[in-house]
Amino acid sequence: MAEDDLYFEISVPVLHSDVDAVSNYIIENIASGILLEDEDDNLQTIIKFYPSNGIDINSKLEWLRKYLRAINPEYEKIETSRKSIKSLDWIESYRASVTPIFAGNSIVIIPPWDDEDYQDKTTIIIEPKMAFGTGRHETTRSCLAVMEKIDFNHKVVLDLGCGSGILGVYAAKKGASKVQGYDIDTLAVDNSLENFEINHVCDKCKAELGSIENITDEKYDVGIVNIIKAVILPIMPRLKEIICLGGYLILSGLLINDRTAIENALSEHNLVDCEIHLDGEWITYKIQM
């Protein structure tokens, strides 16, 4: 077999809490696609990836090890493993690993090559290039479950920290007239634009590099902010200004341990009409303005 027909499969075990960060590092610096393997009763997730032929894989892996040690000194003891596989095996393994994800009561997230007919579901097609935003993370699923209860017909929607664009796609498919996404990651913006095109919602959905500072006089009927507590708390006053009276603000990316701080901030800004959605160690708020 020709050398060009072979790929390296690299496997890296990481803690569940580090999956997003490590996966995105790999996507940005080494390979454009990853596989995630979780095992029951195992504290680690195996990240598998397939570097392109022609790159200096030894150098890339050394930088990956340095990145892991910077995250957690315990990774000093973790070894990556590699094996050679055929190109066809890699493609088939990758596609087989990306299975449908169900959220809420009526939502399914699928990759572009899934040709199943989900007649009773709102289908969202996501090109699985990023670890975050594929629907596998609890916060994404929670946002979709909360959004399922909102009437999006003719609504103007803000998606702050849009990631893959998955939440904006859902809003557009449920009738939103305009969805404006912002993210500080160029890869996220590019991935969002690609997913808007795949889902045929480009006429309604936009994504730009930036954050809340880019919003001037625009008002939104629904604001979705799936980021982290450290970002959400300082912008709470501005969020209150840009969401229309009677509209909804969805806050996610929050750990249950953040609950006291978040609810104190909501009370301080008189945002008390809210519902809570729990998923694992994560909490999502739907607040009526």
Side-chain angles (χ1 to χ4, degrees), residues 70-87:
I71 291 177
N72 186 338
E74 289 295 315
Y75 286 134
E76 183 78 45
K77 305 171 186 176
I78 289 180
E79 287 296 326
T80 60
S81 62
R82 71 170 85 179
K83 67 178 181 178
S84 296
I85 60 171
K86 294 185 295 183
S87 175

Side-chain angles (χ1 to χ4, degrees), residues 87-203:
S87 175
L88 183 61
D89 291 341
W90 166 59
I91 295 169
E92 290 178 349
S93 295
Y94 176 67
R95 291 195 166 189
S97 74
V98 185
T99 53
I101 301 163
F102 297 90
N105 296 314
S106 62
I107 304 166
V108 60
I109 302 107
I110 62 171
W113 54 84
D114 187 335
D115 57 4
E116 291 291 324
D117 184 8
Y118 300 93
Q119 292 183 355
D120 60 338
K121 303 289 185 184
T122 299
T123 302
I124 304 172
I125 303 169
I126 295 295
E127 182 66 53
K129 291 184 176 181
M130 303 175 66
F132 191 86
T134 60
R136 296 189 183 280
H137 198 277
E138 292 92 336
T139 60
T140 309
R141 293 198 307 266
S142 292
C143 284
L144 288 168
V146 167
M147 292 171 70
E148 195 175 44
K149 301 175 182 179
I150 294 175
D151 178 7
F152 281 96
N153 278 315
H154 311 298
K155 299 295 192 296
V156 178
V157 178
L158 170 67
D159 184 6
L160 199 60
C162 57
S164 67
I166 185 172
L167 305 179
V169 169
Y170 177 76
K173 288 197 170 190
K174 298 307 288 185
S177 58
K178 177 182 176 181
V179 178
Q180 177 62 60
Y182 289 103
D183 205 291
I184 60 172
D185 186 337
T186 302
L187 290 175
V189 173
D190 291 343
N191 195 210
S192 291
L193 295 174
E194 182 177 358
N195 288 323
F196 296 159
E197 185 172 354
I198 292 171
N199 286 275
H200 308 292
V201 294
C202 290
D203 58 327

